[in-house]
Amino acid sequence: MTKKIVTFAAAKCHIGVGKRDFINIINFLNSMNQYETVFILTPVLSDDQMKETVAKFKKILTDNGAEIVNEEAWGMKKMAYAIQKKSTGFYNLFEFKAEPQVINTLEVAFRRDEKVIRFMTVKLDKYAAQYAEKRRNKLGKKQEA
């Protein structure tokens, strides 16, 4: 019991925060962040090859301890400008909760795979996470109808 008090007192002296703030900092450090990643696959892939590639990236996330919240395949879309002389691509979206180290592993896999034309991963703040949840619920209702 005294060890915790001493630890808190030492942290309070060094950081200058109250007990509640100290607990919030510890909870924040222990929680996983929510991310959203969109990646574009080359249009020359067959349907099976595209699904295999998406499954490979999904497996990378789950193997590294990420929890996949949502997965969407947006299909073949026209891009705003040509990338690698291609004007279309297969768009995919993953929403997941993970530790920050997992992002580096995922992005290295994206860079190594020739099938990936472009990718972007974004950390969602609490407002973006709430919006993403509303969007998922809205899409779920549309698909049920």
Side-chain angles (χ1 to χ4, degrees), residues 103-113 119:
I103 303 306
N104 191 28
T105 307
L106 179 65
E107 289 187 350
V108 166
F110 282 145
R111 286 186 188 98
R112 287 183 178 166
D113 197 332
F119 64 91

PDB file of all heavy atoms in Angstrom, residues 103-113 119:
ATOM      1  N   ILE A 103       0.923  -0.773 -36.829  1.00  0.00           N
ATOM      2  CA  ILE A 103       0.806   0.059 -38.027  1.00  0.00           C
ATOM      3  C   ILE A 103       2.065  -0.047 -38.866  1.00  0.00           C
ATOM      4  O   ILE A 103       2.001  -0.174 -40.095  1.00  0.00           O
ATOM      5  CB  ILE A 103       0.531   1.533 -37.646  1.00  0.00           C
ATOM      6  CG1 ILE A 103      -0.726   1.642 -36.791  1.00  0.00           C
ATOM      7  CG2 ILE A 103       0.425   2.405 -38.879  1.00  0.00           C
ATOM      8  CD1 ILE A 103      -1.957   1.024 -37.393  1.00  0.00           C
ATOM      9  N   ASN A 104       3.218  -0.020 -38.218  1.00  0.00           N
ATOM     10  CA  ASN A 104       4.480  -0.137 -38.945  1.00  0.00           C
ATOM     11  C   ASN A 104       4.551  -1.471 -39.681  1.00  0.00           C
ATOM     12  O   ASN A 104       4.944  -1.527 -40.856  1.00  0.00           O
ATOM     13  CB  ASN A 104       5.661   0.015 -37.982  1.00  0.00           C
ATOM     14  CG  ASN A 104       6.965   0.156 -38.701  1.00  0.00           C
ATOM     15  OD1 ASN A 104       7.022   0.632 -39.824  1.00  0.00           O
ATOM     16  ND2 ASN A 104       8.032  -0.265 -38.051  1.00  0.00           N
ATOM     17  N   THR A 105       4.167  -2.550 -39.024  1.00  0.00           N
ATOM     18  CA  THR A 105       4.178  -3.877 -39.643  1.00  0.00           C
ATOM     19  C   THR A 105       3.245  -3.926 -40.851  1.00  0.00           C
ATOM     20  O   THR A 105       3.610  -4.451 -41.907  1.00  0.00           O
ATOM     21  CB  THR A 105       3.735  -4.942 -38.614  1.00  0.00           C
ATOM     22  OG1 THR A 105       4.526  -4.811 -37.444  1.00  0.00           O
ATOM     23  CG2 THR A 105       3.865  -6.336 -39.173  1.00  0.00           C
ATOM     24  N   LEU A 106       2.048  -3.369 -40.703  1.00  0.00           N
ATOM     25  CA  LEU A 106       1.073  -3.363 -41.786  1.00  0.00           C
ATOM     26  C   LEU A 106       1.580  -2.542 -42.972  1.00  0.00           C
ATOM     27  O   LEU A 106       1.486  -2.977 -44.129  1.00  0.00           O
ATOM     28  CB  LEU A 106      -0.264  -2.806 -41.295  1.00  0.00           C
ATOM     29  CG  LEU A 106      -1.387  -2.710 -42.319  1.00  0.00           C
ATOM     30  CD1 LEU A 106      -1.806  -4.099 -42.792  1.00  0.00           C
ATOM     31  CD2 LEU A 106      -2.564  -1.963 -41.748  1.00  0.00           C
ATOM     32  N   GLU A 107       2.123  -1.369 -42.704  1.00  0.00           N
ATOM     33  CA  GLU A 107       2.577  -0.510 -43.798  1.00  0.00           C
ATOM     34  C   GLU A 107       3.796  -1.090 -44.516  1.00  0.00           C
ATOM     35  O   GLU A 107       3.938  -0.908 -45.722  1.00  0.00           O
ATOM     36  CB  GLU A 107       2.840   0.904 -43.276  1.00  0.00           C
ATOM     37  CG  GLU A 107       1.540   1.600 -42.928  1.00  0.00           C
ATOM     38  CD  GLU A 107       1.705   3.062 -42.552  1.00  0.00           C
ATOM     39  OE1 GLU A 107       2.854   3.516 -42.377  1.00  0.00           O
ATOM     40  OE2 GLU A 107       0.667   3.736 -42.442  1.00  0.00           O
ATOM     41  N   VAL A 108       4.653  -1.808 -43.813  1.00  0.00           N
ATOM     42  CA  VAL A 108       5.769  -2.493 -44.471  1.00  0.00           C
ATOM     43  C   VAL A 108       5.217  -3.557 -45.422  1.00  0.00           C
ATOM     44  O   VAL A 108       5.700  -3.715 -46.550  1.00  0.00           O
ATOM     45  CB  VAL A 108       6.733  -3.107 -43.427  1.00  0.00           C
ATOM     46  CG1 VAL A 108       7.690  -4.095 -44.070  1.00  0.00           C
ATOM     47  CG2 VAL A 108       7.508  -2.009 -42.725  1.00  0.00           C
ATOM     48  N   ALA A 109       4.185  -4.286 -44.990  1.00  0.00           N
ATOM     49  CA  ALA A 109       3.565  -5.295 -45.850  1.00  0.00           C
ATOM     50  C   ALA A 109       2.927  -4.645 -47.076  1.00  0.00           C
ATOM     51  O   ALA A 109       3.016  -5.190 -48.187  1.00  0.00           O
ATOM     52  CB  ALA A 109       2.527  -6.087 -45.064  1.00  0.00           C
ATOM     53  N   PHE A 110       2.288  -3.493 -46.903  1.00  0.00           N
ATOM     54  CA  PHE A 110       1.716  -2.768 -48.047  1.00  0.00           C
ATOM     55  C   PHE A 110       2.805  -2.379 -49.044  1.00  0.00           C
ATOM     56  O   PHE A 110       2.642  -2.516 -50.250  1.00  0.00           O
ATOM     57  CB  PHE A 110       0.992  -1.496 -47.589  1.00  0.00           C
ATOM     58  CG  PHE A 110      -0.380  -1.709 -47.011  1.00  0.00           C
ATOM     59  CD1 PHE A 110      -0.824  -0.908 -45.971  1.00  0.00           C
ATOM     60  CD2 PHE A 110      -1.236  -2.683 -47.506  1.00  0.00           C
ATOM     61  CE1 PHE A 110      -2.099  -1.071 -45.438  1.00  0.00           C
ATOM     62  CE2 PHE A 110      -2.511  -2.851 -46.979  1.00  0.00           C
ATOM     63  CZ  PHE A 110      -2.936  -2.050 -45.944  1.00  0.00           C
ATOM     64  N   ARG A 111       3.926  -1.874 -48.533  1.00  0.00           N
ATOM     65  CA  ARG A 111       5.014  -1.428 -49.417  1.00  0.00           C
ATOM     66  C   ARG A 111       5.649  -2.586 -50.173  1.00  0.00           C
ATOM     67  O   ARG A 111       6.106  -2.420 -51.303  1.00  0.00           O
ATOM     68  CB  ARG A 111       6.087  -0.695 -48.613  1.00  0.00           C
ATOM     69  CG  ARG A 111       5.664   0.682 -48.185  1.00  0.00           C
ATOM     70  CD  ARG A 111       6.801   1.443 -47.504  1.00  0.00           C
ATOM     71  NE  ARG A 111       6.302   2.673 -46.943  1.00  0.00           N
ATOM     72  CZ  ARG A 111       5.964   2.846 -45.674  1.00  0.00           C
ATOM     73  NH1 ARG A 111       6.095   1.867 -44.807  1.00  0.00           N
ATOM     74  NH2 ARG A 111       5.504   3.998 -45.250  1.00  0.00           N
ATOM     75  N   ARG A 112       5.710  -3.761 -49.553  1.00  0.00           N
ATOM     76  CA  ARG A 112       6.354  -4.921 -50.178  1.00  0.00           C
ATOM     77  C   ARG A 112       5.480  -5.600 -51.222  1.00  0.00           C
ATOM     78  O   ARG A 112       5.990  -6.318 -52.074  1.00  0.00           O
ATOM     79  CB  ARG A 112       6.737  -5.943 -49.106  1.00  0.00           C
ATOM     80  CG  ARG A 112       7.897  -5.513 -48.277  1.00  0.00           C
ATOM     81  CD  ARG A 112       8.274  -6.574 -47.291  1.00  0.00           C
ATOM     82  NE  ARG A 112       9.446  -6.148 -46.520  1.00  0.00           N
ATOM     83  CZ  ARG A 112       9.844  -6.743 -45.411  1.00  0.00           C
ATOM     84  NH1 ARG A 112       9.176  -7.773 -44.936  1.00  0.00           N
ATOM     85  NH2 ARG A 112      10.900  -6.307 -44.780  1.00  0.00           N
ATOM     86  N   ASP A 113       4.188  -5.404 -51.144  1.00  0.00           N
ATOM     87  CA  ASP A 113       3.273  -6.085 -52.054  1.00  0.00           C
ATOM     88  C   ASP A 113       3.068  -5.252 -53.318  1.00  0.00           C
ATOM     89  O   ASP A 113       2.626  -4.105 -53.254  1.00  0.00           O
ATOM     90  CB  ASP A 113       1.926  -6.318 -51.361  1.00  0.00           C
ATOM     91  CG  ASP A 113       1.083  -7.359 -52.063  1.00  0.00           C
ATOM     92  OD1 ASP A 113       1.227  -7.518 -53.296  1.00  0.00           O
ATOM     93  OD2 ASP A 113       0.301  -8.018 -51.379  1.00  0.00           O
ATOM     94  N   PHE A 119      -1.898   3.392 -50.296  1.00  0.00           N
ATOM     95  CA  PHE A 119      -2.543   3.116 -49.009  1.00  0.00           C
ATOM     96  C   PHE A 119      -2.428   4.328 -48.112  1.00  0.00           C
ATOM     97  O   PHE A 119      -1.547   5.169 -48.291  1.00  0.00           O
ATOM     98  CB  PHE A 119      -1.921   1.896 -48.322  1.00  0.00           C
ATOM     99  CG  PHE A 119      -0.484   2.084 -47.939  1.00  0.00           C
ATOM    100  CD1 PHE A 119      -0.150   2.585 -46.693  1.00  0.00           C
ATOM    101  CD2 PHE A 119       0.534   1.784 -48.817  1.00  0.00           C
ATOM    102  CE1 PHE A 119       1.175   2.782 -46.338  1.00  0.00           C
ATOM    103  CE2 PHE A 119       1.855   1.960 -48.473  1.00  0.00           C
ATOM    104  CZ  PHE A 119       2.181   2.464 -47.231  1.00  0.00           C
TER     105      PHE A 119
END
